[in-house]
Amino acid sequence: MLPPPPRQPPPQARAARGSVRLQRPFLRSPLGVLRVLQLLAGAAFWITIATSKYQGPVHFALFVSVLFWLLTLGLYFLTLLGKHELVPVLGSRWLLVNVAHDVLAAALYGAATGIMSDQMQRHSYCNLKDYPLPCAYHAFLAAAVCGGVCHGLYLLSALYGCGRRCQGKQEVV
């Protein structure tokens, strides 16, 4: 024989402590838009370099672009999902972490853009109309432009984060 059903309704299930909730205000914030643009320009930068024949200091530019593309992707999704508190030690200083990331990225993208501009100048001899051999000039030119765009975007997001910090705000959004 089965026991009678309970007279009280079961308690409401609470949201799990580790539940994932999309932070929609971040998507429309200036930093969210800048992060998407940084990801797009960064991908264009390293794909442009990776598809050309490169050597020497261009390896550093490729390293910088892939490293900061991956770090930006991580920062974007941790902020979007509201999970930055899970990052040990740094989660409580998330705005400061974002500003430090952006300043370092702007500095290293500036160096990478300089490298790509130098490589473009070194390959300018093959920018002739009827030059018969393959030439990396156009790839290096496109990479230098993408690097400059990345440098500007990271500089803008660093200034935005510094502005929020100066206003006394602790959150990214």
Side-chain angles (χ1 to χ4, degrees), residues 53-70:
K53 295 200 181 240
Y54 59 91
Q55 58 196 2
V58 180
H59 287 96
F60 174 75
L62 185 63
F63 168 75
V64 166
S65 62
V66 171
L67 174 70
F68 281 103
W69 188 82
L70 290 171

Side-chain angles (χ1 to χ4, degrees), residues 1-19:
M1 175 158 219
L2 294 172
R7 295 184 189 258
Q8 298 176 357
Q12 291 288 341
R14 292 183 181 178
R17 184 173 170 212
S19 67

Side-chain angles (χ1 to χ4, degrees), residues 25-43 68-69 71-73 75-77 79 95 98-99 101-103 105-106 109 146 148-164 172-173:
F26 174 68
L27 289 174
R28 293 183 292 270
S29 73
L31 188 60
V33 172
L34 281 170
R35 289 283 185 243
V36 170
L37 292 174
Q38 289 164 357
L39 288 169
L40 292 174
F68 281 103
W69 188 82
L71 287 174
T72 303
L73 191 66
L75 286 176
Y76 179 75
F77 280 112
T79 307
L95 181 60
N98 277 268
V99 170
H101 165 265
D102 294 336
V103 167
Y109 263 113
C146 289
V149 169
C150 287
H151 175 72
L153 289 170
Y154 280 106
L155 201 56
L156 276 175
S157 62
L159 290 173
Y160 174 76
C162 286
R164 286 189 62 84
V172 173
V173 180

Side-chain angles (χ1 to χ4, degrees), residues 61-125:
L62 185 63
F63 168 75
V64 166
S65 62
V66 171
L67 174 70
F68 281 103
W69 188 82
L70 290 171
L71 287 174
T72 303
L73 191 66
L75 286 176
Y76 179 75
F77 280 112
L78 282 172
T79 307
L80 180 64
L81 299 175
K83 292 297 182 185
H84 58 272
E85 302 93 18
L86 298 177
V87 179
V89 180
L90 303 175
S92 61
R93 299 177 181 97
W94 196 243
L95 181 60
L96 187 61
V97 168
N98 277 268
V99 170
H101 165 265
D102 294 336
V103 167
L104 187 60
L108 291 178
Y109 263 113
T113 302
I115 288 171
M116 297 314 297
S117 296
D118 178 62
Q119 292 297 313
M120 180 189 65
Q121 290 295 326
R122 290 179 187 230
H123 288 83
S124 64
Y125 64 88

